[in-house]
Amino acid sequence: MRIEKIELFHVAMPLISPWRTAYGEDHVIESVLVAMHAQGEVGWGEAGPLATPTYSPEYAAGVFHTMKSWLAPCLIGKDIRTGQELGALLDWVKGNPFAKAGLDMAWWDLSARQAGRPLCTHLGGSSAPISVGADFGICDSIQQLVTSVAGAVAAGFPRVKLKIREGWDLAVVQAVRREFPSLTMHVDCNGGYRLDDRRLFEALDELGLEMIEQPLAHDDLLDHAQLQSALQTPICLDESITGTSKARKAIEIGACRYVNIKPGRVGGMSNAIAIHDLCQDKSIPCWVGSMLESAIGASQCLALGTLPGFTYPADMFTAGVLYAEDIGSPEIGLSAPGTVEPSSLPGIGVRPDPARLAARTLSQASI
Ligand SMILES: [Mg+2]
């Protein structure tokens, strides 16, 4: 299909409650929504690297500039038939996976809408519901966290993820484990520790966690391999896997036994599928992560999560959890306890609500 126009919307979406992790505290989530036009149809994507370069080197205002100045212009007028062709057109720009991903995901949605198919089956996945977990950032007190986890367990979520950082780690995880001895749970360190913290990891290793997510630096593989060799608990890499080549290297050197796949972080849906396939080939289970996207980006993640290698419940925030009013419509809801159903409409089945999009837009560009 020949790409006729690309619109970019740098948006700021205020959270109901602050999201606290090892890398900082977010009150507002910024992302870039992409509308890609061809033959009377519009596909939507979302690049959600956060407002600041704290999760990765990219940030929303920079992604908006990179897309507007460098990436989007080289797609206009091009006849793009596959995700690989789109990737090849963007390949001359080094790095910048989130910026590339926003365009890639808009192309995938456009391609599915033009084929008249839901994105889930268009990607090679299924139309079956996916399993989703409950995630908890750093809270004001351990008691507050234990009460929230109890709510998630009662609501039927199949697993729980706890964000940890220095000062909010071992005692917190031990307290939750005491209350819920058989709960499937894991911790996410967001790169907040070093190899010197070996004693903490040995103590966590005793708590029957499903995995320890991204314990060490965001760009590291070697130290993770060394730590993994000393632990029974699988290490899961998130921030470190920025593309297919990084995934291959991580698996080859034994840096992880789980992979968190976020289409934004790995450069888009085509790379996400390639990493999923690689993990399946190497018997590494994977699961879909979240960048706290609107329902636009979350629907892309939901479609991806229907592929067969995603065996651990996804990070997925449904309507009313993050945002009082989601930009995307319809919002995503639970179809059963701990379960979300992909849309049966063509593409992702979600579009921005025009009034909410206008109210949340900081900058806009048309290429
Ligand atoms: Mg993570």
Side-chain angles (χ1 to χ4, degrees):
M1 74 192 94
R2 192 175 161 277
I3 308 304
E4 294 153 6
K5 182 167 82 165
I6 294 171
E7 293 174 282
L8 305 174
F9 304 85
H10 174 197
V11 297
M13 308 180 287
L15 289 165
I16 294 171
S17 316
W19 182 244
R20 294 191 202 115
T21 65
Y23 55 74
E25 180 165 321
D26 290 293
H27 294 257
V28 173
I29 298 300
E30 291 189 18
S31 63
V32 181
L33 299 183
V34 180
M36 189 176 283
H37 297 250
Q39 294 161 348
E41 191 54 89
V42 186
W44 286 92
E46 177 171 1
L50 303 180
T52 52
T54 46
Y55 168 84
S56 82
E58 290 180 274
Y59 61 103
V63 161
F64 179 81
H65 180 78
T66 304
M67 284 179 173
K68 179 182 153 190
S69 304
W70 306 113
L71 297 174
C74 67
L75 302 180
I76 298 296
K78 297 291 189 328
D79 180 21
I80 303 172
R81 289 162 300 174
T82 65
Q84 283 70 27
E85 285 184 9
L86 181 133
L89 288 167
L90 304 180
D91 200 39
W92 65 280
V93 171
K94 302 272 193 305
N96 291 280
F98 276 100
K100 292 175 180 174
L103 294 160
D104 170 282
M105 286 189 270
W107 181 87
W108 273 101
D109 182 40
L110 179 60
S111 161
R113 287 181 199 262
Q114 291 197 330
R117 278 202 299 239
L119 183 63
C120 52
T121 50
H122 194 65
L123 293 175
S126 80
S127 52
I130 71 162
S131 190
V132 300
D135 297 8
F136 298 95
I138 283 116
C139 297
D140 292 333
S141 70
I142 292 181
Q143 190 48 52
Q144 184 194 33
L145 174 65
V146 168
T147 303
S148 301
V149 171
V153 171
F157 284 98
R159 64 88 173 149
V160 158
K161 159 169 159 177
L162 309 178
K163 295 281 191 182
I164 62 170
R165 68 180 177 196
E166 279 180 25
W168 180 267
D169 45 35
L170 186 58
V172 175
V173 186
Q174 284 170 330
V176 174
R177 180 49 92 206
R178 255 195 314 275
E179 287 292 320
F180 308 97
S182 59
L183 176 65
T184 300
M185 66 177 197
H186 82 268
V187 294
D188 185 2
C189 312
N190 285 111
Y193 296 94
R194 297 159 298 282
L195 269 184
D196 294 351
D197 296 307
R198 177 75 68 93
R199 230 181 258 172
L200 166 74
F201 294 117
E202 285 168 357
L204 290 172
D205 210 18
E206 301 295 314
L207 295 176
L209 300 173
E210 186 65 25
M211 69 191 83
I212 298 172
E213 187 179 342
Q214 196 68 37
L216 309 176
H218 74 98
D219 55 355
D220 171 75
L221 293 181
L222 276 179
D223 286 356
H224 279 102
Q226 194 177 330
L227 181 61
Q228 179 67 90
S229 68
L231 298 178
Q232 296 293 319
T233 310
I235 285 176
C236 171
L237 289 180
D238 174 349
E239 284 91 328
S240 289
I241 307 295
T242 50
T244 48
S245 145
K246 273 290 194 71
R248 179 180 60 76
K249 290 170 185 166
I251 293 169
E252 259 181 41
I253 66 168
C256 62
R257 295 188 199 142
Y258 258 106
V259 175
N260 166 324
I261 302 182
K262 298 174 179 172
R265 194 197 65 233
V266 302
M269 203 55 93
S270 305
N271 285 353
I273 296 168
I275 294 170
H276 162 274
D277 294 350
L278 172 74
C279 287
Q280 269 210 310
D281 189 44
K282 302 290 182 187
S283 300
I284 301 279
C286 47
W287 55 285
V288 175
S290 162
M291 292 304 298
L292 315 192
E293 299 95 339
S294 75
I296 303 285
S299 299
Q300 294 268 1
C301 292
L302 172 53
L304 178 68
T306 68
L307 291 170
F310 291 105
T311 51
Y312 189 72
D315 283 343
M316 173 92 25
F317 299 90
T318 50
V321 176
L322 297 175
Y323 306 110
E325 282 187 328
D326 200 296
I327 283 183
S329 175
E331 298 186 39
I332 297 172
L334 292 168
S335 53
T339 302
V340 176
E341 210 166 333
S343 173
S344 57
L345 298 171
I348 55 173
V350 175
R351 293 184 192 276
D353 172 90
R356 291 179 190 176
L357 177 61
R360 301 287 178 230
T361 297
L362 303 175
S363 313
Q364 191 173 342
S366 181
I367 298 103

